[in-house]
């Protein structure tokens, strides 16, 4: 089963904060568990987020706004809400609900981004119930919840979910499925026998749907004899309808390209339409919207004022880079604009503005910056959207074989992967073949093997902004070389596999813990000490 979606998982999600692993996934996880725990009119009164001291959340959750995103998700605040960033301060004071973060040993700690979420809710009869969820953020905004109150589950937020509990659930399962199928696109179900807190056995039916059922359908189900409880949660992103293996190999993708007249852009569009259960035109519009959003983020970055800058180490430089008069013969205007665009997006990212993880927030400047460079120099929005579709497809093959989590693979799976994506998009924009798109992507990966993730002070600023500049430059140079006739020789799949393998071999201090690399230099440590002293 494969749930990777181009719009959800590769050129998404749309988010706030500097890290998709530490911001986007926490927001969506928190919103999902809140919906489940308050499905029957309960009121959230307290929430505790627990991180393992050996994990990646513990040292950076404040610097990277994980706490802010968990709080906003639990408060059910929209990403576009102007009060998004105010939620954390309010709930820490107990306004709305009490909110705490604890660093403690977790029962399950098989992933660097493990987290436990404990929610206390007041039920309609006034009694208090405690729900405990366990899960992990797995990179690029993707996540899973694998335990709910001691029960094994597997929730990814990629479909709407309905849980039905009761002694007659099994006997009523077919009727329940038929009830939902009348008004919703039914995607699947499974039933399990569980033991409740009181020791009694009951049955649980989990149903996956494309959208949340109408309220009258849920009300009818709750009124059915033999049903005790119904929990409902909406999809966190675009619902995934088809779980076929679409993206695992380059050869598999190229075989599909033959059905689309050799167009990698059309192949990407067709596969994503299949994944989301949508028509071609509707899916195309989603890609156009995403391209326009990325370009808007760049424009917002250029328009930012230093007075509003909340970065701890960097000042706003994107506009200066764009407008600089460079010496004749140094670089070129396309590359200069693309670099400036990448910085603009990253400055928006680091200032907690709305951005698109592509594929992660730490690499959120490479793809938008590359698109900005294309659009500023003769590529129209249709051509830019085609390029974005190709970028997404290249990233999907990477995701299918590996991970976008720097906590597992270092920066090679963030700016390395995004550079590979962007390089393929540039080749597409200038008329290259599908094979050349993968070749340019291969060239990027072979040059970023073992790239460490080492954010100074845990902030996605140094060297992250510089890495995005390098990623854009890498993308354009790789595309130029391939179009000019250079052959990367080594296949993309093999290089993805090696990227992941080498990442797993790196010392934990080199994987997003702010304990190694650039973060361990004397200058970096002094900067962090000075900022810490100011706060105290």
């Amino acid at each position: 089963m494969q749930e990777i979606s181009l719009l959800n998982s590769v050129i998404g999600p749309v988010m706030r904060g500097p890290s998709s692993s530490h911001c986007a996934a926490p927001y969506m996880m928190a919103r999902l568990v809140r919906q489940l725990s308050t499905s029957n009119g309960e009121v959230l009164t307290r929430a505790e987020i627990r991180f393992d001291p050996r994990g990646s959340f513990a040292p950076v959750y404040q610097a990277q706004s994980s706490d802010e995103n968990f709080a906003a998700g639990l408060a059910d605040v929209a990403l576009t809400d102007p009060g998004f960033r105010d939620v954390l301060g309010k709930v820490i004071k107990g306004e709305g609900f009490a909110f705490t973060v604890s660093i403690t040993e977790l029962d399950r700690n098989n992933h660097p981004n493990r987290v436990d979420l404990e929610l206390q809710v007041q039920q309609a009869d006034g009694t208090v119930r405690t729900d405990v969820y366990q899960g992990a953020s797995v990179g690029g905004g993707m996540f899973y919840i694998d335990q709910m109150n001691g029960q094994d589950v597997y929730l990814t937020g990629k479909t709407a979910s309905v849980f039905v509990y009761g002694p007659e659930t099994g006997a009523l399962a077919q009727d329940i499925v038929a009830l939902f199928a009348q008004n919703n696109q039914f995607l699947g179900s499974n039933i399990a026998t569980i033991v409740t807190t009181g020791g009694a056995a009951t049955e649980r039916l989990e149903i996956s749907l494309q959208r949340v059922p109408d309220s009258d359908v849920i009300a009818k189900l709750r009124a059915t004899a033999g049903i005790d409880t119904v929990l409902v949660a909406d999809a966190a992103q675009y619902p995934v309808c088809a779980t076929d293996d679409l993206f695992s190999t380059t050869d598999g993708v190229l075989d599909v390209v033959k059905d689309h007249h050799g167009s990698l852009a059309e192949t990407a569009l067709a596969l994503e339409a299949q994944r989301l259960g949508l028509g071609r035109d509707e899916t195309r519009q989603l890609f156009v919207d995403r391209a326009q959003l990325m370009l808007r983020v760049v424009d917002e970055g250029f328009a930012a004022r230093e007075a509003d800058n909340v970065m701890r180490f960097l000042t706003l430089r994107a506009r200066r880079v764009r407008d600089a008069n460079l010496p004749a013969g140094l670089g070129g205007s396309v590359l200069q604009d693309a670099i400036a665009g990448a910085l603009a997006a990253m400055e928006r990212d680091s200032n907690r503005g709305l951005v698109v993880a592509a594929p992660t927030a730490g690499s959120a400047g490479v793809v938008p910056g590359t698109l900005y460079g294309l659009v500023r120099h003769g590529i129209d929005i249709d051509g830019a959207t085609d390029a974005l579709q190709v970028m997404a497809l290249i990233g999907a093959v990477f995701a299918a074989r590996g991970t976008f989590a720097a906590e597992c693979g270092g920066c090679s799976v963030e700016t390395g992967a995004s550079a590979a994506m962007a390089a393929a998009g540039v080749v597409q924009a200038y008329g290259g073949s599908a094979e050349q798109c993968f070749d340019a992507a291969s060239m990027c990966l072979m040059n970023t093997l073992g790239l460490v993730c080492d954010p100074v002070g845990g902030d996605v600023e140094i060297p992250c902004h510089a890495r995005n500049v390098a990623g854009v430059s890498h993308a354009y140079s790789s595309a130029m070389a391939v179009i000019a006739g250079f052959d990367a020789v080594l296949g993309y799949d093999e290089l993805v596999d090696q990227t992941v393998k080498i990442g797993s071999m790196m010392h934990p201090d080199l994987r997003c813990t702010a304990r190694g690399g650039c973060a361990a230099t004397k200058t970096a440590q002094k900067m962090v000490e000075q900022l810490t002293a100011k706060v105290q």
Side-chain angles (χ1 to χ4, degrees), residues 339-427:
I339 289 172
L343 284 173
M346 287 305 295
E347 288 171 1
R348 190 69 180 150
D349 182 23
S350 294
N351 277 289
R352 281 44 171 181
L354 199 66
V355 296
V356 179
T360 69
S363 59
V366 176
V367 168
T370 301
L371 291 179
Y372 180 76
L374 294 174
V375 169
R376 287 267 288 186
H377 296 274
I379 303 299
D380 62 16
I381 190 62
D382 283 335
T385 302
D386 285 345
L388 182 60
Q389 288 167 194
V390 169
M391 294 176 188
L393 186 52
I394 296 294
V397 177
F398 191 104
R401 305 183 72 87
T403 176
F404 291 137
E407 300 81 8
C408 298
C411 200
S412 53
V413 304
E414 291 204 38
T415 56
S418 61
M421 292 163 54
V426 174
V427 171

Side-chain angles (χ1 to χ4, degrees), residues 17 29 44 53 58 89 97 160 222 224 246 301-302 346 354 356 405 409 419 429 456 519:
M29 293 172 78
L44 178 63
F97 58 91
R222 286 180 172 138
T224 301
L246 304 179
F302 285 134
M346 287 305 295
L354 199 66
V356 179
V456 173

Side-chain angles (χ1 to χ4, degrees), residues 464-531:
C464 312
H465 289 217
R467 294 260 171 85
N468 277 258
V469 168
V472 167
S473 306
H474 200 180
Y476 274 94
S477 62
S478 297
M480 289 168 61
V482 168
I483 291 174
F486 184 79
D487 187 349
V489 181
L490 303 181
Y492 183 69
D493 295 359
E494 293 180 287
L495 288 165
V496 173
D497 295 344
Q498 286 301 310
T499 296
V500 176
K501 181 179 180 180
I502 291 171
S504 68
M505 295 167 64
M506 287 195 294
H507 190 281
D509 284 359
L510 303 178
R511 297 185 306 206
C512 200
T513 57
R515 294 193 294 259
C518 290
T521 62
K522 291 181 179 179
T523 298
Q525 292 176 337
K526 184 177 181 180
M527 291 166 63
V528 173
E529 289 172 1
Q530 290 174 339
L531 284 175

Side-chain angles (χ1 to χ4, degrees), residues 151-174:
Q151 307 163 22
D152 290 333
V153 294
Y154 190 70
L155 299 172
T156 62
K158 294 175 180 175
T159 66
S161 296
V162 177
F163 287 91
V164 183
Y165 294 85
E168 301 299 322
T169 298
L172 294 169
Q174 288 187 339

Side-chain angles (χ1 to χ4, degrees), residues 127-394:
T127 59
V128 174
R129 186 185 78 239
T130 299
D131 293 334
V132 179
Y133 302 87
Q134 297 179 351
S137 164
V138 293
M142 293 181 280
F143 68 90
Y144 61 77
I145 294 169
D146 56 4
Q147 274 218 343
M148 178 172 67
N149 292 330
Q151 307 163 22
D152 290 333
V153 294
Y154 190 70
L155 299 172
T156 62
K158 294 175 180 175
T159 66
S161 296
V162 177
F163 287 91
V164 183
Y165 294 85
E168 301 299 322
T169 298
L172 294 169
Q174 288 187 339
D175 292 336
I176 294 171
V177 168
L179 177 65
F180 288 135
Q182 293 174 9
N183 296 301
N184 297 271
Q185 184 167 343
F186 174 74
L187 301 177
S189 67
N190 64 74
I191 192 163
T193 299
I194 62 170
V195 177
T196 63
T197 305
T202 189
E203 291 177 307
R204 181 193 75 206
L205 176 65
E206 180 186 354
I207 302 170
S208 298
L209 301 164
Q210 191 171 16
R211 61 181 180 273
V212 169
D214 295 336
S215 58
D216 58 337
V217 174
I218 296 297
K220 182 177 180 180
L221 183 59
R222 286 180 172 138
T224 301
I227 300 299
D228 294 335
T229 306
V230 179
L231 308 180
V232 182
D234 203 353
Q237 297 176 273
Y238 297 122
V240 169
C241 298
T243 56
D244 311 59
D245 186 344
L246 304 179
F247 308 120
S248 291
T249 67
T250 299
D251 286 343
V253 170
L254 291 177
D255 282 342
V256 181
V257 169
K258 298 173 185 176
D259 299 329
H260 298 281
H261 309 290
S263 171
L264 202 56
E266 282 296 320
T267 299
L269 186 59
L271 292 177
E272 183 69 349
Q274 179 181 345
R275 181 68 90 213
L276 301 182
L278 301 175
R280 180 198 180 281
D281 291 346
E282 187 176 359
T283 308
R284 173 66 174 187
Q285 188 57 52
L286 294 177
F287 277 108
V288 172
D289 292 345
R290 190 59 54 86
Q292 290 175 330
L293 175 57
M294 288 182 170
L295 294 170
R296 186 163 72 249
V297 167
V298 171
D299 287 339
E300 290 173 352
F302 285 134
R305 303 181 307 163
E306 189 60 54
D308 299 324
N309 180 33
V310 299
M311 291 189 289
R312 297 205 300 168
F313 302 114
L314 298 177
T315 57
L316 301 178
R317 297 298 178 93
R319 190 165 57 242
R320 179 186 300 183
V321 171
R322 182 195 62 186
D323 298 339
N325 291 316
L326 296 176
L330 178 62
S333 57
V334 178
L335 185 56
Q336 182 177 350
D337 281 336
I339 289 172
L343 284 173
M346 287 305 295
E347 288 171 1
R348 190 69 180 150
D349 182 23
S350 294
N351 277 289
R352 281 44 171 181
L354 199 66
V355 296
V356 179
T360 69
S363 59
V366 176
V367 168
T370 301
L371 291 179
Y372 180 76
L374 294 174
V375 169
R376 287 267 288 186
H377 296 274
I379 303 299
D380 62 16
I381 190 62
D382 283 335
T385 302
D386 285 345
L388 182 60
Q389 288 167 194
V390 169
M391 294 176 188
L393 186 52
I394 296 294

